[in-house]
Amino acid sequence: MKIWQASNGELRRVLEGHVFDVNCCTFFPSGLVVLSGGMDAQLKIWSAEDASCVVTFKGHKGGILDTAIVDRGRNVVSGSRDGTARLWDCGRSACLGVLADCGSSINGVAVGAADNSINLGSPEQMPSEREVGTEAKMLLLAREDKKLQCLGLQSRQPVFLFIGSDAFNCCTFLSGFLLLAGTQDGNIYQLDVRSPGAPVQVIHRSGAPVLSLLSFRDGFIASQGDGSCFIVQQDLDYVTELTGADCDPVYKVATWEKQIYTCCRDGLVRRYQLSDL
C-alpha cells in the first residue's frame, strides 16, 4: 500500500507486509492509523507516520474482502471469503467473536447507527467489556450468494435477510434506516430496514457490476465495472458523471471535503474537485 500527499501526488510512505493482494484499506478516524485486509487472510494496522505494522490479526481462513471501523476504532469488523464476519479488539489484537457464518463469501461490510424504531434484539450472552461502541449499531453484509444480511452488531441477532438478483458486491448506510447495496448484474438496491421486504427503489444504469457505494451529502456515489462513476443527488433525478476512467473498472471511491478520489484498474488514482456542487 502507498500513502500519497493528496495536494501534489508525492509518495510519502510504502506499507509492506501483506502477502498477495491487498483488498481494502481505510484510515481510522484519527487519520494517523491505517487498517488493511488482504488475500493472505490477515488484517493489519499500520502507523501512517512511520509505516510500521503495529498489529496483525489472524483467524480468517480465506482472503479478507472488506472491513469496517466501529465508532472511534477500538473495535473493527472484517468480512472474508471464508464466509465469516469477525469482530476484533485492536488493543489486544484478539478476535472478540464470529458475528456471522454465512457459508458464502462476504464481499462487503458496513456498520451504521440504527434508528430507535429498529429492533436489534438482545445478546444471548453478556458482551465482552472489550466491545466498545457496538450497541445500537447494525452490521450489513453483502454476500456472494445473492443475499444481503443485516444483524445487530452487539446482539448478533438477525434484523433481515434480503435476496437480490445476483451476488452483492458492496453496501453502505445512508441513514439510521436507509441503506444501499450493489450487485454483480448492475442493480443498486435502496432498502428501508423498517420494511425490507420490497426495495424502496432499484437503480439500474448498466449491466456492469456495482463495485463501490458511498453515502455523499444528500445522495450517494456509485462506481461500476465498466468505468462509470456517478453521483446521485437525493431527488435521484440529478446525476453527475465522473469521467476519465474510460472502460476499466473503478474499484473504490473515497471523499474528503469537496474532493472525490477514485481508484481504477488502469493503475491511476483520480481526484475530482467539486467546487460547483
Side-chain angles (χ1 to χ4, degrees):
M1 288 176 295
K2 295 179 178 181
I3 297 178
W4 307 83
Q5 181 76 27
S7 57
N8 60 11
E10 176 193 347
L11 180 60
R12 298 289 300 273
R13 304 276 185 276
V14 179
L15 312 181
E16 295 181 292
H18 276 291
V19 187
F20 312 125
D21 295 355
V22 181
N23 291 327
C24 49
C25 60
T26 185
F27 278 97
F28 279 79
S30 68
L32 302 174
V33 186
V34 176
L35 174 69
S36 65
M39 290 306 284
D40 55 6
Q42 297 185 132
L43 273 172
K44 288 179 176 285
I45 295 177
W46 310 78
S47 164
E49 296 176 295
D50 64 9
S52 63
C53 177
V54 290
V55 174
T56 298
F57 299 120
K58 295 182 180 179
H60 279 295
K61 295 179 174 62
I64 293 162
L65 300 179
D66 201 11
T67 59
I69 292 171
V70 181
D71 214 27
R72 292 168 62 184
R74 300 228 344 233
N75 297 158
V76 298
V77 174
S78 58
S80 168
R81 289 180 71 172
D82 66 12
T84 65
R86 292 172 182 259
L87 183 70
W88 304 86
D89 172 10
C90 295
R92 291 187 181 165
S93 60
C95 180
L96 290 171
V98 175
L99 300 169
D101 191 346
C102 305
S104 176
S105 180
I106 298 172
N107 297 325
V109 300
V111 171
D115 187 83
N116 293 335
S117 62
I118 296 164
N119 179 14
L120 297 178
S122 301
E124 290 177 1
Q125 53 204 52
M126 191 73 179
S128 160
E129 78 244 359
R130 303 294 299 177
E131 270 193 43
V132 182
T134 58
E135 64 280 354
K137 298 274 196 329
M138 297 178 285
L139 174 65
L140 196 57
L141 305 176
R143 294 167 39 170
E144 183 70 22
D145 59 2
K146 304 185 182 181
K147 293 175 182 173
L148 184 69
Q149 180 178 357
C150 183
L151 48 123
L153 182 56
Q154 187 180 75
S155 70
R156 327 284 205 254
Q157 299 298 317
V159 176
F160 74 80
L161 188 68
F162 177 82
I163 299 175
S165 57
D166 205 346
F168 280 99
N169 292 328
C170 52
C171 55
T172 191
F173 286 100
L174 294 176
S175 71
F177 53 85
L178 283 177
L179 59 92
L180 292 174
T183 59
Q184 185 70 12
D185 60 0
N187 285 329
I188 299 172
Y189 290 90
Q190 183 176 357
L191 296 176
D192 188 323
V193 181
R194 300 166 300 184
S195 54
V200 177
Q201 64 172 347
V202 181
I203 299 166
H204 185 94
R205 302 194 76 218
S206 82
V210 181
L211 300 178
S212 178
L213 289 166
L214 182 66
S215 174
F216 182 68
R217 300 188 183 171
D218 57 356
F220 65 90
I221 309 172
S223 73
Q224 292 187 261
D226 58 1
S228 62
C229 186
F230 52 92
I231 308 167
V232 179
Q233 300 300 108
Q234 190 175 31
D235 57 14
L236 304 172
D237 299 331
Y238 185 68
V239 176
T240 305
E241 296 277 357
L242 302 181
T243 61
D246 198 20
C247 57
D248 279 306
V250 178
Y251 291 126
K252 196 77 175 175
V253 181
T255 58
W256 185 71
E257 294 184 346
K258 288 188 174 182
Q259 294 169 67
I260 296 175
Y261 296 85
T262 63
C263 69
C264 178
R265 195 172 69 180
D266 61 11
L268 297 176
V269 175
R270 291 175 171 84
R271 180 176 65 173
Y272 300 86
Q273 185 78 29
L274 294 180
S275 53
D276 54 327
L277 283 183

